[in-house]
C-alpha cells in the first residue's frame, strides 16, 4: 500500500476520487503551481488540462503575453483574423488590449468617455476580447488613467491637476487628471465596471495610473483639502528636501498611490469576481518608481502579478539590466508569482521609431536577459499593421523555446551568496534629485563588477536582510547612504554571525530622511569614523562627487616598486611589504586611476588601509602632469576581520560609481577581488571563458538550472546588437546542493547532453560554444 503522504502524483493514478482529490489540492496549492506543473499532473491523470488549469488563477499560469498597442487609426482596419494566427504562432497565452481611459475602443455609455477616432461605432475591444477568449487566451484590459481631452476638462475642471498659477497641468493637448479627485475616485472605477460587466476580461492593467510625478505639485481643491486633513499643512510651494512639510508631501503622495491600487482592485473584483485583479504597470527602474511615488515594496505586497513596463535597455546598463530588475522585483513579490514584461519589437530606445522593426538580436537579447531574471516575455507592437513586416518574425522563436522549456523558467529559487542591498527610501531621501550619481551609478558599478567576475548575486531590500541572510555569505552596500536604525541592526546581526560586508562611499552616513548622522552608523564595523563636518569645499556637490573624472589616483599599500622591473622613480619605499590578497593581480603597479575626491577620515588603530588618496594634479599641458603630493594618509579602502570572523571592507573611494561610469578594468577587478575576499570565497560558481557572460543559478526540487547569457558583442555598450558572436569553450564549476547528484546535464538551447566531473561537492563541465544564451539543467 502506498503512503497517503506521498503527494499529489500518487492520487492521480486511480479514478474519480483521485480526480476530486487532485482538484482540491490543486486549488489549495495554487500558489506553488505553475502551468507546467499543472500540465504534468493533468497528463498523468484523468483530469483534463482544462479542468486542472481552471483551478489555478490565470495570473499564476499565463506566462507568454502579447500586445498590439492600438492606435486610433487601427480602429478602422484591425485584422483580427491575422492576429489570431500570430497569437497561435507565438504560443501567446494572454493579450493586453486597449479598452478605455483617454479614449474608448468600445461603444461606452459613460458620458465623456470619448470614442477613439476612426472607431465609428465598431466594438474593437469587444471583438478582440471575444476572439482571445475563443482561442483560450486571457485578456488584460488596458486603461490609461493619466489624462483626458479638452471637452472632459471643460465639463469637470475640478477633476484635473492645477499648477501654482491656477492653470491646468497639460501633456500636449491632453489635460492631466488629478489622483485625488472624482476622476480617480468615481470615473475610472465606473469605466472598469462597465468593461468588466460587458466583456469579462480576466483583469485590468493601466499604462499610466499614478498621476503626476514628484517634480510637479497639484494645487487643486481636492489635493489641498486631502493634504491639510492628513497633515495639517498646506501643500508646499517649492521642493525642499530638508523641509518636514515637503517630506510629508512625499509620504502623502506615496500613500495615495497605494489607495488607488486598492481602490481599483476593489472596483474590478466587485465587478468581475475575486480573480478579476487590477495591476497597473510599473517601471523596471527604482528611480522612476520613486519619481512616480510608486512604492515597489508595498505594491508587491499587494500585487498578484507585476505588469512590467521596461521595454528595452539603456546603453549604460546593457541587457543585464533586465535580469537585475527581474531578480529585484521577485525579491519583493516572491519567486512564485509572475512578472510579464512589455518588450519592444519596434525600435525603442535611442532613437525611437515606433513603426520600424528593432534588429532581431537586440530585441531577442532583452527577452533572453529578462527570462534569465525570472521575467515572462510579452511582445509589444505599436499599431496593428506594419509595412516593416520583419517585426512579426522577432518573437516567435524565443516564445516557442519558452513554451518548450517553461517548467524550468518559473517557480524557482535563486542560488547566490552575495546580496546587494537597496531601498527605495534611499533612492528618495539620499538620492533626492541626484539619484543617478548617488544611487544608480554605484549600483551599476557593483553589479557590473559581479557579472564581469561571474559571481551570482541577488538584490536584497534593506528590510529583507534578516529574511534573506541564511543563504548569503556577503552583503554589499553600494553607497547606501540612507539606512534606518532597524536596517543597521540587521546588518550588524548579519556581520555578527560571521557574514561579510563590503560598503562603499557614504554608506550608513545618513538616516532614513537623508539627514547626515554625526558618524557612519556602521563605523564600528568599518573601523573608520567620519570627521563629522559637512562636506568640504574639496568635495564638489558634497554627497555626489563631481560627476566627471578628476585627475586623481589611489596608491596601493604597501608599495612593491622595488621588486619589479622599471626605472627608478625617486619615490622608492624604504621597505617592501607584503600585499593583502584583495590586491592580487596588481603586482605590476603601485597606483590605480581614481577620478574622485576624498576627505580625511579617522581610522581605528589596527585598521588596515589598502589604498590611499593621491590628490589632483594637472593633465594639460603634459609638462605639468606630475604628482604634486605623491602620498597622503587619506584612506581610500580599509579592511578588517572582526572577532566573530566576519570580514569587512569599507571603501570611501567611490570606485563602484567610477566603474559604473567608465568601465575601467582596474576598478572592476578590484571590486571583484574585494567581494571574493569578504565572502571568503563562499561562492557557488566558477566560469572560465573569454567574454562577458551573465550567470544566474536557480534551484528547483531535485535540479539546478544555470543560465549563461553571452553579452559579448559589437553592441555590448552601444545599441543595437545586430549580430551574435559565439563564445566558447566555457568551463563551468558549480557547487551541488543536497538533493542534486549532478549526473545528468541537459542543455536547453543546444539540446545537447554533456558529461561532468565530480569533485568534493562540485561538478565541472565544459560547454563548447554559446551563441546568445545557454541554460543548463543539472539533476
Ligand atoms: Zn490635485
Amino acid at each position: 500500500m502506498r503512503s497517503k503522504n506521498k503527494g499529489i502524483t500518487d492520487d492521480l493514478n486511480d479514478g474519480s476520487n483521485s480526480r476530486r482529490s487532485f482538484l482540491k489540492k490543486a486549488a489549495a496549492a495554487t500558489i506553488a503551481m505553475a502551468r507546467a506543473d499543472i500540465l504534468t499532473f493533468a497528463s498523468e491523470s484523468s483530469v483534463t488540462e482544462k479542468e486542472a488549469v481552471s483551478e489555478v488563477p490565470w495570473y499564476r499560469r499565463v506566462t507568454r503575453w502579447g500586445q498590439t498597442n492600438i492606435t486610433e487609426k487601427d480602429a478602422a482596419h484591425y485584422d483580427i483574423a491575422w492576429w489570431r494566427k500570430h497569437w497561435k504562432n507565438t504560443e501567446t497565452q494572454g493579450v493586453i488590449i486597449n479598452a478605455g481611459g483617454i479614449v474608448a475602443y468600445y461603444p461606452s455609455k459613460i458620458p465623456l468617455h470619448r470614442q477613439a477616432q476612426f472607431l465609428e461605432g465598431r466594438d474593437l475591444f469587444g471583438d478582440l476580447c471575444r476572439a482571445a477568449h475563443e482561442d483560450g487566451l486571457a485578456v488584460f484590459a488596458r486603461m490609461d488613467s493619466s489624462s483626458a481631452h479638452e471637452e472632459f476638462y471643460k465639463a469637470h475642471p475640478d477633476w484635473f491637476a492645477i499648477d501654482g498659477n491656477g492653470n491646468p497641468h497639460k501633456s500636449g493637448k491632453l489635460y492631466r487628471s488629478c489622483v485625488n479627485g472624482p476622476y480617480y475616485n468615481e470615473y475610472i472605477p465606473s469605466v472598469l465596471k462597465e468593461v468588466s460587466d460587458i466583456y469579462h476580461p480576466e483583469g485590468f492593467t493601466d499604462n499610466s495610473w499614478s498621476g503626476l510625478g514628484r517634480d510637479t505639485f497639484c494645487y487643486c481643491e481636492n489635493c489641498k483639502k486631502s493634504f491639510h486633513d492628513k497633515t495639517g499643512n498646506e501643500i508646499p510651494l517649492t521642493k525642499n528636501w530638508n523641509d518636514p512639510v515637503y517630506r510629508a508631501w512625499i509620504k502623502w503622495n506615496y500613500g495615495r498611490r497605494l489607495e488607488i491600487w486598492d481602490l481599483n482592485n476593489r472596483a474590478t473584483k466587485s465587478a468581475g469576481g475575486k480573480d478579476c485583479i487590477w495591476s497597473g504597470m510599473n517601471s523596471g527602474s527604482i528611480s522612476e518608481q520613486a519619481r512616480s511615488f510608486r512604492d515597489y515594496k508595498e505594491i508587491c505586497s499587494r500585487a498578484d502579478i507585476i505588469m512590467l513596463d521596461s521595454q528595452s535597455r539603456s546603453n549604460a546598463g546593457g541587457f543585464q539590466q533586465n535580469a537585475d530588475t527581474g531578480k529585484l522585483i521577485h525579491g519583493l513579490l516572491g519567486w512564485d508569482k509572475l512578472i510579464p514584461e512589455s518588450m519592444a519589437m519596434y525600435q525603442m530606445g535611442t532613437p525611437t521609431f515606433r513603426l520600424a522593426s528593432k534588429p532581431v538580436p537586440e530585441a531577442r537579447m532583452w527577452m533572453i536577459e529578462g527570462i534569465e531574471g525570472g521575467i515572462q516575455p510579452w511582445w509589444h507592437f505599436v499599431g496593428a499593421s506594419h509595412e516593416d513586416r520583419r517585426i512579426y518574425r522577432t518573437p516567435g522563436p524565443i516564445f516557442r523555446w519558452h513554451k518548450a522549456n517553461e517548467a524550468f523558467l518559473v517557480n524557482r529559487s535563486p542560488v547566490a551568496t552575495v546580496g546587494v542591498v537597496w531601498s527605495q527610501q534611499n533612492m528618495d531621501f539620499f538620492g533626492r534629485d541626484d539619484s543617478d550619481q548617488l544611487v544608480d551609478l554605484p549600483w551599476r558599478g557593483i553589479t557590473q563588477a559581479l557579472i564581469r567576475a561571474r559571481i551570482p548575486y541577488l538584490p536584497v531590500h534593506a528590510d529583507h536582510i534578516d529574511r534573506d541572510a541564511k543563504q548569503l555569505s556577503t552583503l554589499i552596500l553600494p553607497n547606501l547612504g540612507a539606512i534606518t536604525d532597524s536596517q543597521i541592526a540587521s546588518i550588524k546581526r548579519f556581520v555578527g554571525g560571521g557574514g561579510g560586508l563590503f560598503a562603499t562611499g557614504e554608506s550608513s552616513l545618513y538616516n532614513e530622511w537623508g539627514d547626515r548622522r554625526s558618524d557612519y552608523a556602521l563605523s564600528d564595523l568599518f573601523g573608520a569614523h567620519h570627521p563629522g563636518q559637512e562636506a568640504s569645499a574639496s568635495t564638489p556637490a558634497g554627497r555626489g562627487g563631481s560627476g566627471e573624472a578628476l585627475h586623481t589616483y589611489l596608491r596601493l599599500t604597501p608599495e612593491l616598486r622595488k621588486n619589479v622591473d622599471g626605472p627608478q622613480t625617486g619615490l622608492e619605499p624604504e621597505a617592501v611589504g607584503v600585499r593583502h590578497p584583495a590586491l592580487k593581480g596588481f603586482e605590476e603597479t603601485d597606483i590605480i586611476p581614481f577620478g574622485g575626491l576624498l576627505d580625511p577620515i579617522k581610522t581605528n588603530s589596527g585598521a588596515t588601509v589598502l589604498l590611499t588618496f593621491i590628490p589632483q594634479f594637472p593633465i594639460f599641458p603634459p609638462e605639468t602632469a606630475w604628482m604634486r603630493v605623491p602620498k597622503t594618509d587619506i584612506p581610500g579602502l580599509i579592511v578588517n576581520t572582526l572577532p566573530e570572523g566576519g570580514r569587512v571592507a569599507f571603501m570611501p573611494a567611490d570606485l563602484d560609481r567610477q566603474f559604473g561610469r567608465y568601465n575601467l578594468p582596474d576598478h572592476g577587478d578590484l571590486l571583484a577581488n574585494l567581494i571574493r575576499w569578504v565572502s571568503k570565497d563562499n561562492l557557488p560558481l566558477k566560469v572560465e571563458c573569454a567574454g562577458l557572460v551573465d550567470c544566474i543559478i536557480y534551484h528547483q526540487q531535485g535540479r539546478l538550472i544555470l543560465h549563461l547569457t553571452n553579452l559579448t558583442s559589437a553592441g555590448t555598450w552601444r545599441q543595437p546588437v545586430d549580430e551574435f558572436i559565439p563564445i566558447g569553450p566555457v568551463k563551468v564549476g558549480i557547487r551541488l546542493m543536497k538533493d542534486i547528484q549532478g549526473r545528468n546535464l541537459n542543455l536547453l538551447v543546444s539540446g545537447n547532453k554533456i558529461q561532468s566531473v565530480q569533485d568534493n561537492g562540485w561538478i565541472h563541465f565544459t560547454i563548447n560554444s554559446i551563441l546568445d544564451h545557454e541554460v543548463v539543467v543539472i539533476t
Side-chain angles (χ1 to χ4, degrees):
M1 294 294 288
R2 63 175 203 270
S3 154
K4 287 204 168 185
N5 296 326
K6 278 179 69 182
I8 291 174
T9 46
D10 277 355
D11 286 333
L12 298 172
N13 297 327
D14 56 17
S16 59
N17 280 344
S18 67
R19 221 170 95 102
R20 276 195 297 277
S21 169
F22 165 72
L23 289 174
K24 213 166 146 190
K25 285 184 183 180
T30 50
I31 289 168
M33 290 180 72
R35 182 182 161 81
D37 298 323
I38 297 161
L39 296 181
T40 307
F41 293 137
S43 70
E44 291 171 2
S45 73
S46 51
V47 180
T48 67
E49 177 188 337
K50 203 169 174 185
E51 283 174 316
V53 166
S54 71
E55 297 295 324
V56 178
W58 61 278
Y59 45 80
R60 292 291 180 94
R61 61 183 149 81
V62 176
T63 64
R64 285 174 299 282
W65 289 87
Q67 178 186 14
T68 50
N69 209 336
I70 304 172
T71 68
E72 291 189 81
K73 187 73 181 168
D74 290 324
H77 52 67
Y78 199 114
D79 185 350
I80 294 177
W82 189 92
W83 284 101
R84 292 175 89 155
K85 282 189 283 178
H86 187 75
W87 298 341
K88 193 158 188 253
N89 290 341
T90 54
E91 301 289 353
T92 299
Q93 299 173 310
V95 281
I96 294 93
I97 307 173
N98 303 54
I102 300 173
V103 291
Y105 285 94
Y106 68 98
S108 174
K109 294 196 167 52
I110 296 175
L112 297 167
H113 197 197
R114 179 189 173 118
Q115 305 289 290
Q117 196 184 357
F118 308 110
L119 192 65
E120 293 178 356
R122 184 179 180 185
D123 186 1
L124 180 58
F125 175 79
D127 291 345
L128 278 163
C129 192
R130 280 184 289 272
H133 282 161
E134 278 173 30
D135 291 353
L137 274 62
V139 173
F140 249 124
R142 176 190 179 278
M143 299 284 296
D144 191 319
S145 307
S146 66
S147 43
H149 286 85
E150 187 169 20
E151 70 270 20
F152 204 141
Y153 168 72
K154 284 190 168 160
H156 297 286
D158 53 326
W159 293 14
F160 290 81
I162 303 296
D163 69 16
N165 299 319
N167 297 317
H169 283 291
K170 290 179 74 176
S171 172
K173 287 187 172 174
L174 299 175
Y175 291 74
R176 299 299 307 271
S177 50
C178 176
V179 293
N180 283 298
Y183 190 90
Y184 273 81
N185 283 327
E186 295 164 22
Y187 173 73
I188 291 294
S190 74
V191 175
L192 297 172
K193 178 167 169 32
E194 183 182 60
V195 172
S196 180
D197 287 350
I198 302 173
Y199 303 106
H200 313 294
E202 275 63 26
F204 288 81
T205 184
D206 194 311
N207 178 57
S208 182
W209 59 275
S210 55
L212 292 175
R214 196 172 72 191
D215 294 328
T216 317
F217 295 97
C218 177
Y219 298 98
C220 79
E221 292 305 317
N222 293 308
C223 281
K224 285 200 266 193
K225 180 171 189 314
S226 167
F227 188 64
H228 192 271
D229 288 351
K230 292 220 168 110
T231 71
N233 292 300
E234 307 304 320
I235 293 173
L237 297 173
T238 54
K239 176 183 285 188
N240 177 358
W241 288 98
N242 295 318
D243 173 9
V245 178
Y246 182 72
R247 293 173 179 180
W249 181 79
I250 297 278
K251 293 282 183 189
W252 168 75
N253 270 297
Y254 267 118
R256 178 59 187 159
R257 273 59 180 185
L258 296 174
E259 285 174 8
I260 289 168
W261 190 279
D262 295 340
L263 169 74
N264 285 343
N265 269 287
R266 281 197 301 277
T268 56
K269 287 175 186 174
S270 76
K274 69 176 172 51
D275 288 333
C276 186
I277 58 168
W278 180 95
S279 196
M281 295 186 200
N282 283 284
S283 170
S285 153
I286 300 304
S287 55
E288 179 60 30
Q289 290 288 96
R291 283 193 296 274
S292 308
F293 301 120
R294 298 190 291 229
D295 182 333
Y296 237 146
K297 182 161 159 276
E298 287 302 317
I299 286 171
C300 285
S301 75
R302 289 161 158 76
D304 295 300
I305 184 170
I306 288 291
M307 298 301 280
L308 187 59
D309 188 2
S310 181
Q311 298 190 29
S312 59
R313 67 165 163 155
S314 71
N315 286 338
F319 298 114
Q320 53 272 48
Q321 272 177 282
N322 213 16
D324 183 83
T325 299
K327 289 190 288 186
L328 183 147
I329 300 173
H330 273 301
L332 303 176
L333 184 68
W335 284 88
D336 53 347
K337 294 184 188 169
L338 302 176
I339 309 172
E341 178 186 65
S342 173
M343 296 162 168
M345 303 293 105
Y346 60 92
Q347 177 51 45
M348 169 80 180
T350 313
T352 293
F353 291 100
R354 293 285 207 189
L355 301 183
S357 179
K358 178 178 275 198
V360 174
E362 177 75 21
R364 184 176 162 87
M365 285 301 291
W366 186 248
M367 291 192 273
I368 286 172
E369 271 287 343
I371 291 166
E372 175 169 10
I375 283 170
Q376 288 71 51
W378 155 8
W379 49 256
H380 181 189
F381 305 115
V382 172
S385 62
H386 303 84
E387 292 170 277
D388 184 348
R389 293 170 298 281
R390 298 171 296 181
I391 201 168
Y392 305 128
R393 312 289 169 243
T394 305
I398 192 76
F399 270 60
R400 289 189 286 272
W401 178 85
H402 187 276
K403 178 182 164 63
N405 297 289
E406 187 178 38
F408 306 105
L409 304 176
V410 291
N411 280 352
R412 48 195 194 168
S413 309
V415 178
T417 54
V418 172
V420 189
V421 183
W422 71 282
S423 79
Q424 193 160 334
Q425 203 168 17
N426 178 61
M427 184 68 81
D428 279 320
F429 292 106
F430 177 61
R432 300 189 174 185
D433 297 318
D434 202 16
S435 58
D436 184 46
Q437 300 290 322
L438 291 170
V439 183
D440 287 336
L441 273 172
W443 179 271
R444 190 179 301 150
I446 288 289
T447 54
Q448 180 57 24
L450 286 160
I451 289 168
R452 187 169 169 273
R454 292 88 182 244
I455 298 174
Y457 73 91
L458 282 179
V460 174
H461 191 282
D463 287 337
H464 293 157
I465 290 171
D466 292 326
R467 183 196 75 180
D468 294 347
K470 202 161 55 173
Q471 80 171 104
L472 301 174
S473 67
T474 296
L475 291 177
I476 301 176
L477 315 181
N479 200 34
L480 192 73
I483 313 185
T484 68
D485 290 343
S486 83
Q487 292 163 356
I488 291 289
S490 297
I491 294 166
K492 290 187 173 179
R493 269 193 295 279
F494 180 80
V495 179
L501 179 69
F502 177 30
T504 70
E506 296 188 296
S507 290
S508 83
L509 191 56
Y510 299 81
N511 68 13
E512 63 265 41
W513 294 107
D515 293 328
R516 227 322 249 270
R517 300 176 192 264
S518 59
D519 194 357
Y520 305 109
L522 295 169
S523 61
D524 50 340
L525 301 183
F526 293 170
H529 299 274
H530 200 271
Q533 81 272 18
E534 280 301 311
S536 77
S538 71
T539 316
R543 314 162 357 144
S546 69
E548 59 185 77
L550 304 171
H551 196 220
T552 61
Y553 294 78
L554 292 165
R555 181 168 298 284
L556 281 61
T557 62
E559 295 132 310
L560 298 180
R561 75 173 68 79
K562 266 192 173 167
N563 282 356
V564 294
D565 181 39
Q568 296 294 298
T569 63
L571 293 168
E572 273 62 28
E574 289 173 9
V576 173
V578 177
R579 286 260 178 94
H580 190 274
L583 300 183
K584 191 163 178 261
F586 291 94
E587 291 77 13
E588 289 263 21
T589 184
D590 290 335
I591 59 166
I592 57 170
F594 175 29
L597 293 173
L598 283 176
D599 286 326
I601 57 171
K602 291 176 266 181
T603 54
N604 291 352
S605 61
T608 306
V609 175
L610 299 187
L611 297 173
T612 57
F613 180 58
I614 301 172
Q616 201 171 5
F617 54 95
I619 293 177
F620 295 110
E623 288 83 347
T624 64
W626 52 276
M627 286 177 195
R628 302 301 191 272
V629 183
K631 280 189 189 184
T632 69
D633 57 5
I634 300 172
L637 171 63
I638 302 151
V639 295
N640 288 300
T641 300
L642 302 176
E644 298 86 357
R647 292 177 177 175
V648 179
F650 172 52
M651 184 183 259
D654 61 344
L655 288 190
D656 46 354
R657 176 161 45 208
Q658 301 294 345
F659 188 54
R661 271 191 199 124
Y662 299 116
N663 268 334
L664 288 184
D666 279 353
H667 295 168
D669 289 343
L670 184 56
L671 292 170
N673 275 2
L674 284 163
I675 293 162
R676 287 200 184 92
W677 178 76
V678 161
S679 71
K680 301 177 186 168
D681 279 320
N682 178 3
L683 305 169
L685 184 71
K686 287 177 189 148
V687 175
E688 288 175 44
C689 63
L692 183 62
V693 192
D694 192 4
C695 310
I696 302 181
I697 310 171
Y698 295 96
H699 178 251
Q700 285 176 332
Q701 194 172 9
R703 61 195 184 209
L704 284 171
I705 298 150
L706 170 64
H707 286 252
L708 300 158
T709 298
N710 176 14
L711 299 167
T712 317
S713 80
T716 297
W717 300 113
R718 185 181 155 201
Q719 58 185 313
V721 171
D722 68 349
E723 107 183 298
F724 294 128
I725 299 172
I727 55 167
V730 180
K731 289 185 177 177
V732 180
I734 187 166
R735 192 160 64 194
L736 293 174
M737 296 174 75
K738 269 185 198 154
D739 60 338
I740 294 149
Q741 297 180 323
R743 298 218 173 92
N744 297 307
L745 282 75
N746 290 325
L747 305 186
L748 298 185
V749 178
S750 71
N752 295 333
K753 289 184 191 300
I754 54 173
Q755 302 296 313
S756 68
V757 177
Q758 302 235 1
D759 173 29
N760 202 20
W762 286 63
I763 56 167
H764 300 271
F765 55 91
T766 300
I767 301 167
N768 288 332
S769 181
I770 298 176
L771 184 61
D772 48 5
H773 72 140
E774 188 53 271
V775 181
V776 189
V777 177
I778 303 162
T779 53

